[in-house]
Amino acid sequence: MGVLAVLFLALASMLPLYWMITGSLKAQSNAMAVPPEWFPTNPTLDNYRKLLFASTPTFRWLLNSIIVAGSVAFLAVMTSLLAGYAFGKKNFPGKTVLFWLLIMTMMMPRQISLIPLYILMQRLDWFNTYQGMIAPYLAYPFGIFLIRQFMQGIPNDLIDAARIDGASELGIFWYVIVPLAKPAIGALAIFAFMAAWNDYIWQLLMVTKRTMLTLPVGVSKLTAFLGGYDLGLAMAGATFAFVPMLIIFIIFQDFFVKGITVGAVKG
């Protein structure tokens, strides 16, 4: 019975993915049919032709998304590693208060920070730039929390032994802490990459040039630009945008599982 329940939940979780892929192979009339078509009766690749080859800068949008999401993942990992190590293994005045303030920022709705960030980007003249799309993610509270939880599971004896052997603070961090934290780094990289890749509202606020749009925003504007709402084209764009995230997850899946399980053991 338990196996059947798990199988049912797995199939239910795959249903949106199936609907997205099959919807991308339907014409507009079939995609909006009532009752819906569970299997495409007349599958077509016209939606992908419109998306990729109909004088739309889709591949530029893909490049923009890769640059933004990749940069966010790298910078979020670097800042979270440094801050998480400090919170997990260092003692300094106000450590507990600062950490709980950090946790409180995770509970705040995203919309609260949009206006001050928008004003800041306006004063820096960072509209339609990569730095404007990347900068708000440099401080990643969830990443700091995840790394801090992982650091608490690393024995202090290892750090003390490295310090006795003459290792500097930078040497301890780079040669001892970073190799041990690879599972958490992999998990954090996936979370940060997916958050930046799927982000819509901030990229919509920051970008007005068509060639600087990210893939989710570009596909959204494309479907509206054609008049009405082309559901088949939207499904094709969602499928196309899903592939890079799937590749990233496959590459880092071992680190992802280890990082989640180890980070949840202590804290």
Side-chain angles (χ1 to χ4, degrees), residues 115-195:
I115 294 177
L117 283 174
Y118 183 89
I119 295 173
L120 178 61
M121 295 301 111
Q122 185 180 43
R123 292 179 178 177
L124 293 173
D125 195 22
W126 279 3
F127 288 107
N128 295 308
T129 63
Y130 289 123
Q131 59 265 33
M133 293 186 278
I134 295 169
Y137 291 96
L138 293 181
Y140 194 42
F142 176 75
I144 298 173
F145 171 77
L146 180 66
I147 297 296
R148 183 254 189 186
Q149 297 300 100
F150 189 91
M151 291 297 173
Q152 289 188 329
I154 297 178
N156 292 327
D157 293 342
L158 292 176
I159 299 175
D160 294 336
R163 188 172 289 113
I164 291 173
D165 288 339
S168 63
E169 286 296 328
L170 182 60
I172 292 173
F173 176 78
W174 186 252
Y175 294 106
V176 178
I177 298 300
V178 171
L180 292 175
K182 284 183 179 180
I185 293 173
L188 175 56
I190 291 178
F191 282 127
F193 187 92
M194 291 179 62

Side-chain angles (χ1 to χ4, degrees), residues 19 27 33 37 41 49 51 71 77 102 117 125 131 133 160 204 215 217 226 232 239 243 246 255:
W19 190 254
E37 290 184 353
T41 55
R49 293 191 187 98
L51 178 68
S71 300
V77 165
L102 178 72
L117 283 174
D125 195 22
Q131 59 265 33
M133 293 186 278
D160 294 336
L204 182 64
L215 192 56
V217 180
L226 294 177
T239 303
V243 173
L246 178 62
F255 290 139

Side-chain angles (χ1 to χ4, degrees), residues 1-8:
M1 185 63 69
V3 175
L4 292 176
V6 172
L7 180 60
F8 173 78

Side-chain angles (χ1 to χ4, degrees), residues 23-24 26-29 31-32 46-47 50-51 219-220 222-237:
S24 69
K26 298 176 184 177
Q28 173 72 351
S29 58
M32 301 294 291
D46 286 343
N47 294 318
K50 293 178 185 177
L51 178 68
V219 171
S220 176
L222 180 63
T223 56
F225 175 75
L226 294 177
Y229 186 77
D230 194 333
L231 183 59
L233 181 59
M235 292 293 187

Side-chain angles (χ1 to χ4, degrees), residues 194-208:
M194 291 179 62
W197 185 273
N198 293 322
D199 189 23
Y200 180 83
I201 186 170
W202 179 249
Q203 314 303 353
L204 182 64
L205 289 173
M206 286 302 301
V207 178
T208 56

Side-chain angles (χ1 to χ4, degrees), residues 78-122:
M78 294 302 297
T79 56
S80 298
L81 267 176
L82 293 170
Y85 174 61
F87 278 116
K89 290 300 179 184
K90 297 296 181 180
N91 292 315
F92 52 88
K95 170 183 173 180
T96 303
V97 174
L98 287 175
F99 180 73
W100 282 108
L101 288 174
L102 178 72
I103 297 298
M104 290 174 61
T105 63
M106 295 171 58
M107 305 176 187
M108 295 170 55
R110 174 76 189 281
Q111 292 77 5
I112 292 178
S113 62
L114 288 179
I115 294 177
L117 283 174
Y118 183 89
I119 295 173
L120 178 61
M121 295 301 111
Q122 185 180 43

